[in-house]
Amino acid sequence: MEEKRFSHLRELLVDTKPVDIAEAMEEMGEEAPESTIIVFRLLPKDLAAEVFSYLSTAEQLSIVGALHEKQLKNIVEELNFDDKIDFLEEMPANVVKRILKNVTEEERTLINQFLNYPEYSAGSLMTIEYIDLKKEMTVFEALQHIRTTGVDKETIYTCYVLNETRKLEGIVSLRKLVLAEAHMLIEDLMDEDLINTSTWDDQEEVADLFKKYDLMTLPVVDQEGRLVGIITIDDIVDVIEQENTEDFEKMAALLPGDEEYLDASILTMAKKRLPWLLILMISATFTGSIISRFEDVLQAVVVLAAAIPMLMDTAGNAGNQSSTLVIRGIALGEIELEDYLQVLWKEFRISLLVGLMLGLINFVRMLLIVESSVLVAVTVSFTLSLTVVMAKIFGGLMPIIAKKMKVDPAIMAGPLITTIVDAMALIVYFNMASLILGIH
Amino acid sequence: MEEKRFSHLRELLVDTKPVDIAEAMEEMGEEAPESTIIVFRLLPKDLAAEVFSYLSTAEQLSIVGALHEKQLKNIVEELNFDDKIDFLEEMPANVVKRILKNVTEEERTLINQFLNYPEYSAGSLMTIEYIDLKKEMTVFEALQHIRTTGVDKETIYTCYVLNETRKLEGIVSLRKLVLAEAHMLIEDLMDEDLINTSTWDDQEEVADLFKKYDLMTLPVVDQEGRLVGIITIDDIVDVIEQENTEDFEKMAALLPGDEEYLDASILTMAKKRLPWLLILMISATFTGSIISRFEDVLQAVVVLAAAIPMLMDTAGNAGNQSSTLVIRGIALGEIELEDYLQVLWKEFRISLLVGLMLGLINFVRMLLIVESSVLVAVTVSFTLSLTVVMAKIFGGLMPIIAKKMKVDPAIMAGPLITTIVDAMALIVYFNMASLILGIH
């Protein structure tokens, strides 16, 4: 590659979206790590910082390793404050030390304070780059203030009105400022009835506030009502996906974790998977012991064994459907604790309808296709209908009970419900068989 | 209630967030429907429209029924254009007719055009209330234009630069305008390298663009590049939750649907649940026929039957874990089609680790607690390890194969995977038993 080609490449890069450059670098990094450094060095300082914030931790580390002290300092200076914190959180201690060496005393204190906010808290999401106004300002003065201080701010569309002790008194949108007369006072324009959160609040609650009130930004205040930072919607979109992923994982008997599938090590992955598999395996042996207990019934009518997978699977699926709908309803705020009777009544009627349909279809199938005896067909079909009803009521109520007991409803999904309703199904089945077929 | 109490209530309401008023009305509506109408009538026109847009379809219908022609007209006029479309989409034909009677010819045409965009398309998400600028304008002129036309716009933070044929030439943020010098030309400030979408694009793709580029708004253009509307992030947050709900439902063997759990009728709910339950029930009978085929093995060593639930459940759970992680990885863009070999290799190593651990623990358990014979314990434990490996590789690859075949990967989750790996587990089990225990 010659000098000319580089300057051409640089021109191309400047016209490309930062996230697309980052994506291309990640792909290149797999085959030719040194070329990603070359591309990165070609980027102008501000673009480089933006691209850097989109890179994976692994790629960031390899770039940090290749940069000189001064280049690194430039990049870190250009990073948005919240991206800076995210980046430092992921870096090993020696890199953090190397970076903190190069910042001012004041910024170091601030960074350390932010690094101490618990993961998944409002504090860990916020940035300090906001516009602050005073209520005595006129619109004209406020706009002047925004023009002089706005360049480095994460957003200028919502401005925060603070008093001399930095207590948050109100917010005013740039929209209001632009549409108002120049001589009007901020005090008369600002919205005092504001939604806020505190540094220690959970990110899920923060996301719920954004969703409920259609917010773009949310102020974070301390116990004295002083503004400590703001959270912007782009970070909330990531939180929503994170929380959904966590629910998906819990519902599939996985311990939730942060790492992307392709990045996680085999050991991390095994640790995510083993605990629940083990618990559920042990639980399933109890289901097995039910079969042992009714060995004589099975031995008397061996054909009964063939229906076991169908009964267990259908019970599990039916319970799983109900628990998933209720878990999702709770997560989206559509179902509250006090709705449990409604859920019960609803699941009862649906399960009756679905259970009877399935039982009927199975009855016909067994008579016509398998050519079972009527009594065996009755035993299996009746068990099927009954377990669907039990599974659905159980599946619908367990997430609500979990929520009531302050346990995440998401764990009351598929695998756990399946294991329990499997046992239910077998108990009903063998008792029905004893009763209807007269085996003792 | 007296006149005084009403005016007091009204004052209270004006200071309350619209979504909170809507929520309170919904709760009141369950017990005293007429009082919701009274509260609604107390609201000033603009607040009433905002509250109205947050109400459920059922509540909207009951209010529309109680309003006079003129009141209804006022509310509809005040609604944001996209809220108006959402509302009309949900209303029965006679209500739509009643409302369209009251709007101008021009608006009626526009509404009808918007009502025709397919559900879940970019067109159905967009609004027409945006700011348009010309590239010849100066910053001063542009800000003047925003001040005179901005009041009714959904957002003024992103402005769209159009030529005389309404072709989109660039976008410029209010941030840039406010920070720029008054005499500068829009042409020199605008960003021409813009991300856009077309009316027929799927909402999931639109949401992916927002997530990838951290967008606040996205322009929607027609085939000639003319701007037809804009999509804002608040609607995208809803889309993200909708798409996640759809995945949760598909992964729990449910047909996806729009209605909230508590609002959906029993019949709608049964229709959501029955098809997959039926398909999976029929599939599970094949699993059952495997048991029938190996009846002699079971009859020779009845104790083998007791391990069937444990083997089936563990295989299902193991496969389910892998498929869920891969489905989620695909949904979040972390796993691409070409990564299939990586997934295969990863699942192989993890499943070997997890499978061996589970097999070992089970072997010890069977010897010490159940006091099985060594050969039976070997049969069960070896089957367990082997099926975990098979289930995880199968569970990890199926979503990618589905994606390759343009089927939604989400259906390759729990229930379907479980049914298939159950059958695998049994076939391995009985063959192992025949082999190790020497039963023919």
Side-chain angles (χ1 to χ4, degrees):
Chain A
M1 291 201 239
E2 319 149 47
E3 188 58 33
K4 264 190 202 160
R5 298 272 307 277
F6 277 139
S7 70
H8 181 62
L9 180 59
R10 182 182 199 139
E11 265 168 52
L12 265 179
L13 286 170
V14 171
D15 281 339
T16 309
K17 303 271 174 213
V19 62
D20 289 326
I21 300 178
E23 216 168 62
M25 283 174 64
E26 297 282 351
E27 269 167 42
M28 268 165 42
E30 280 168 30
E31 283 139 37
E34 46 321 315
S35 56
T36 64
I37 311 283
I38 300 178
V39 168
F40 190 76
R41 288 225 170 103
L42 282 176
L43 300 172
K45 208 166 64 170
D46 52 337
L47 183 57
E50 237 187 305
V51 170
F52 190 79
S53 71
Y54 283 113
L55 291 173
S56 68
T57 306
E59 195 60 50
Q60 285 180 339
L61 251 178
S62 99
I63 285 180
V64 167
L67 291 183
H68 300 304
E69 216 60 20
K70 180 135 182 299
Q71 292 169 314
L72 180 62
K73 185 167 176 260
N74 282 341
I75 296 296
V76 172
E77 263 173 16
E78 284 289 326
L79 280 176
N80 279 339
F81 189 77
D82 55 345
D83 291 333
K84 203 181 294 181
I85 298 296
D86 287 346
F87 158 63
L88 287 172
E89 262 166 2
E90 299 300 327
M91 288 295 112
N94 61 329
V95 176
V96 175
K97 219 170 138 190
R98 201 179 136 202
I99 289 164
L100 288 186
K101 217 173 55 190
N102 285 320
V103 304
T104 62
E105 175 80 35
E106 190 188 7
E107 183 160 15
R108 190 153 50 230
T109 316
L110 202 57
I111 288 176
N112 276 322
Q113 179 195 336
F114 270 68
L115 285 175
N116 275 328
Y117 290 122
E119 226 184 330
Y120 313 124
S121 70
S124 76
L125 290 173
M126 69 191 184
T127 182
I128 45 162
E129 291 154 330
Y130 52 81
I131 299 267
D132 50 351
L133 301 176
K134 305 223 167 300
K135 65 179 174 192
E136 302 80 19
M137 286 178 170
T138 62
V139 167
F140 180 79
E141 288 165 341
L143 284 172
Q144 270 318 109
H145 181 68
I146 293 171
R147 282 201 187 93
T148 49
T149 63
V151 187
D152 294 329
K153 304 303 182 192
E154 173 104 13
T155 180
I156 64 169
Y157 297 141
T158 309
C159 305
Y160 298 87
V161 186
L162 307 180
N163 71 6
E164 52 293 339
T165 64
R166 302 199 66 73
K167 206 167 155 307
L168 180 61
E169 300 191 304
I171 59 173
V172 60
S173 65
L174 183 61
R175 177 182 190 134
K176 258 195 187 163
L177 292 178
V178 166
L179 298 180
E181 307 289 326
H183 61 84
M184 288 176 86
L185 282 177
I186 296 300
E187 190 169 11
D188 301 325
L189 286 174
M190 71 185 190
D191 186 1
E192 290 166 85
D193 172 34
L194 36 83
I195 319 264
N196 59 39
T197 187
S198 83
T199 37
W200 292 79
D201 282 347
D202 187 77
Q203 64 174 13
E204 196 166 2
E205 292 164 35
V206 174
D208 286 344
L209 287 176
F210 272 86
K211 285 190 269 180
K212 181 171 175 190
Y213 295 105
D214 286 341
L215 303 175
M216 293 290 138
T217 53
L218 179 70
V220 184
V221 297
D222 65 12
Q223 279 161 327
E224 284 79 39
R226 285 185 302 241
L227 185 65
V228 285
I230 63 165
I231 298 174
T232 51
I233 179 101
D234 52 320
D235 295 319
I236 290 304
V237 169
D238 299 338
V239 168
I240 292 174
E241 287 295 18
Q242 239 177 59
E243 295 290 336
N244 278 312
T245 299
E246 209 182 292
D247 276 1
F248 275 110
E249 293 183 337
K250 284 188 185 152
M251 291 169 77
L254 290 155
L255 297 184
D258 256 351
E259 285 181 80
E260 291 194 8
Y261 181 89
L262 294 175
D263 297 339
S265 76
I266 302 301
L267 214 66
T268 316
M269 276 291 199
K271 273 193 223 149
K272 255 176 109 125
R273 302 182 186 198
L274 200 56
W276 271 108
L277 279 186
L278 198 58
I279 294 170
L280 294 168
M281 180 182 93
I282 304 288
S283 319
T285 61
F286 293 104
T287 321
S289 70
I290 298 170
I291 297 187
S292 309
R293 191 142 47 89
F294 289 96
E295 233 160 55
D296 41 345
V297 178
L298 266 190
Q299 217 138 19
V301 193
V302 185
V303 65
L304 286 178
I308 290 180
M310 191 269 286
L311 287 172
M312 280 175 50
D313 279 358
T314 307
N317 291 334
N320 199 6
Q321 288 185 332
S322 305
S323 71
T324 299
L325 285 171
V326 173
I327 289 168
R328 196 65 191 148
I330 293 175
L332 295 178
E334 296 167 4
I335 298 176
E336 309 281 342
L337 279 187
E338 56 267 30
D339 297 325
Y340 71 97
L341 276 180
Q342 263 177 283
V343 172
L344 182 69
W345 177 228
K346 194 150 217 164
E347 286 303 320
F348 175 68
R349 286 176 299 159
I350 298 169
S351 62
L352 217 57
L353 197 63
V354 172
L356 284 177
M357 286 287 286
L358 290 177
L360 203 68
I361 294 169
N362 182 62
F363 184 71
V364 174
R365 179 191 69 89
M366 285 185 78
L367 286 188
L368 297 187
I369 302 175
V370 195
E371 296 176 0
S372 321
S373 79
V374 177
L375 279 186
V376 169
V378 167
T379 305
V380 174
S381 305
F382 188 70
T383 304
L384 184 68
S385 300
L386 191 59
T387 52
V388 166
V389 175
M390 289 167 60
K392 284 203 164 291
I393 290 177
F394 185 76
L397 286 185
M398 283 314 284
I400 300 184
I401 292 172
K403 172 92 182 171
K404 174 84 192 164
M405 293 165 62
K406 315 249 179 237
V407 175
D408 188 337
I411 71 155
M412 288 301 170
L416 196 57
I417 298 283
T418 301
T419 307
I420 301 171
V421 298
D422 276 1
M424 284 186 188
L426 287 181
I427 293 175
V428 172
Y429 187 39
F430 289 119
N431 281 307
M432 281 296 148
S434 309
L435 210 75
I436 298 177
L437 304 176
I439 314 163
H440 301 287
Chain B
M1 293 201 234
E2 318 150 46
E3 189 57 33
K4 264 190 204 160
R5 299 272 306 277
F6 276 139
S7 69
H8 181 61
L9 180 59
R10 182 182 198 140
E11 266 168 51
L12 267 178
L13 286 172
V14 171
D15 282 339
T16 310
K17 302 272 174 212
V19 61
D20 289 326
I21 301 178
E23 215 169 62
M25 283 174 63
E26 296 282 351
E27 268 166 40
M28 269 166 40
E30 280 167 29
E31 282 137 38
E34 51 313 320
S35 55
T36 63
I37 312 282
I38 299 178
V39 169
F40 190 75
R41 289 227 169 101
L42 281 176
L43 301 171
K45 208 166 64 171
D46 52 337
L47 183 57
E50 237 187 305
V51 169
F52 189 80
S53 71
Y54 284 113
L55 291 172
S56 67
T57 305
E59 195 62 49
Q60 285 180 337
L61 251 178
S62 100
I63 285 179
V64 167
L67 291 183
H68 300 302
E69 216 59 21
K70 181 137 181 298
Q71 292 169 313
L72 180 62
K73 184 167 177 260
N74 282 340
I75 296 295
V76 172
E77 263 173 15
E78 285 289 326
L79 280 176
N80 279 339
F81 189 78
D82 55 345
D83 291 332
K84 203 180 296 184
I85 298 295
D86 288 346
F87 158 63
L88 287 172
E89 262 166 1
E90 297 300 327
M91 290 294 112
N94 62 327
V95 175
V96 175
K97 218 171 138 188
R98 202 179 134 202
I99 289 164
L100 288 187
K101 217 174 56 192
N102 284 321
V103 304
T104 62
E105 176 80 36
E106 190 189 7
E107 183 160 14
R108 192 154 50 230
T109 316
L110 202 57
I111 288 176
N112 277 322
Q113 179 196 336
F114 270 68
L115 285 175
N116 275 328
Y117 290 123
E119 226 184 329
Y120 312 125
S121 70
S124 76
L125 290 172
M126 69 190 184
T127 181
I128 45 161
E129 291 155 330
Y130 53 81
I131 299 268
D132 50 352
L133 301 177
K134 306 221 167 300
K135 64 178 175 192
E136 301 79 22
M137 286 178 169
T138 62
V139 167
F140 180 80
E141 287 166 338
L143 285 172
Q144 272 317 113
H145 181 68
I146 293 171
R147 282 201 187 93
T148 48
T149 63
V151 187
D152 293 329
K153 303 304 182 193
E154 174 104 13
T155 180
I156 65 168
Y157 296 140
T158 309
C159 305
Y160 299 86
V161 186
L162 307 180
N163 72 6
E164 51 295 338
T165 63
R166 302 200 68 72
K167 206 166 156 307
L168 180 62
E169 301 190 304
I171 60 173
V172 59
S173 65
L174 183 60
R175 178 181 191 135
K176 259 197 187 163
L177 291 178
V178 167
L179 299 181
E181 307 289 326
H183 61 82
M184 288 176 86
L185 282 178
I186 296 300
E187 190 170 11
D188 302 325
L189 287 174
M190 72 184 188
D191 185 1
E192 289 165 85
D193 172 34
L194 36 82
I195 318 261
N196 59 38
T197 187
S198 83
T199 37
W200 293 79
D201 281 348
D202 187 77
Q203 63 175 14
E204 196 165 2
E205 292 164 35
V206 174
D208 287 344
L209 287 177
F210 271 86
K211 284 190 269 178
K212 181 170 177 191
Y213 296 104
D214 286 341
L215 303 174
M216 294 289 139
T217 53
L218 179 68
V220 184
V221 296
D222 65 12
Q223 280 161 325
E224 283 79 40
R226 285 185 303 240
L227 185 65
V228 285
I230 63 166
I231 298 174
T232 51
I233 179 102
D234 52 320
D235 295 319
I236 291 304
V237 168
D238 299 338
V239 168
I240 292 175
E241 286 295 19
Q242 240 177 59
E243 295 291 334
N244 277 311
T245 299
E246 210 182 292
D247 276 1
F248 275 109
E249 293 183 337
K250 283 188 185 152
M251 290 169 77
L254 290 154
L255 297 185
D258 256 351
E259 283 181 82
E260 292 195 7
Y261 181 88
L262 294 175
D263 296 339
S265 77
I266 303 301
L267 215 64
T268 316
M269 276 290 199
K271 273 193 225 149
K272 254 177 110 123
R273 302 183 186 198
L274 200 55
W276 271 107
L277 280 186
L278 199 58
I279 294 170
L280 294 167
M281 180 182 92
I282 304 289
S283 320
T285 60
F286 292 104
T287 320
S289 70
I290 298 170
I291 297 188
S292 307
R293 190 141 47 88
F294 290 95
E295 232 160 54
D296 40 346
V297 179
L298 266 190
Q299 218 139 18
V301 193
V302 185
V303 66
L304 286 178
I308 291 180
M310 190 267 287
L311 288 172
M312 280 174 51
D313 279 358
T314 308
N317 291 333
N320 198 8
Q321 288 185 332
S322 306
S323 72
T324 299
L325 285 172
V326 174
I327 290 168
R328 195 65 191 149
I330 294 175
L332 295 179
E334 296 167 3
I335 299 177
E336 310 281 342
L337 278 186
E338 56 268 29
D339 297 325
Y340 70 98
L341 275 180
Q342 263 178 285
V343 172
L344 182 69
W345 177 227
K346 193 150 217 163
E347 286 303 321
F348 175 68
R349 287 175 301 159
I350 299 169
S351 61
L352 218 56
L353 197 64
V354 172
L356 285 178
M357 286 287 287
L358 290 177
L360 202 68
I361 294 169
N362 182 63
F363 184 72
V364 174
R365 179 191 69 88
M366 285 185 78
L367 285 189
L368 296 185
I369 303 175
V370 194
E371 296 175 0
S372 321
S373 79
V374 176
L375 280 186
V376 169
V378 167
T379 306
V380 174
S381 305
F382 188 71
T383 305
L384 185 67
S385 300
L386 191 59
T387 52
V388 166
V389 175
M390 288 167 60
K392 284 204 164 291
I393 290 178
F394 185 76
L397 286 185
M398 283 313 286
I400 300 184
I401 293 172
K403 173 92 183 170
K404 175 85 192 164
M405 292 165 60
K406 314 253 179 232
V407 175
D408 188 336
I411 72 155
M412 287 303 169
L416 195 56
I417 298 284
T418 300
T419 307
I420 301 170
V421 298
D422 276 1
M424 284 185 190
L426 288 181
I427 294 174
V428 173
Y429 187 39
F430 289 119
N431 281 307
M432 282 296 148
S434 309
L435 210 74
I436 298 177
L437 304 176
I439 315 163
H440 299 286

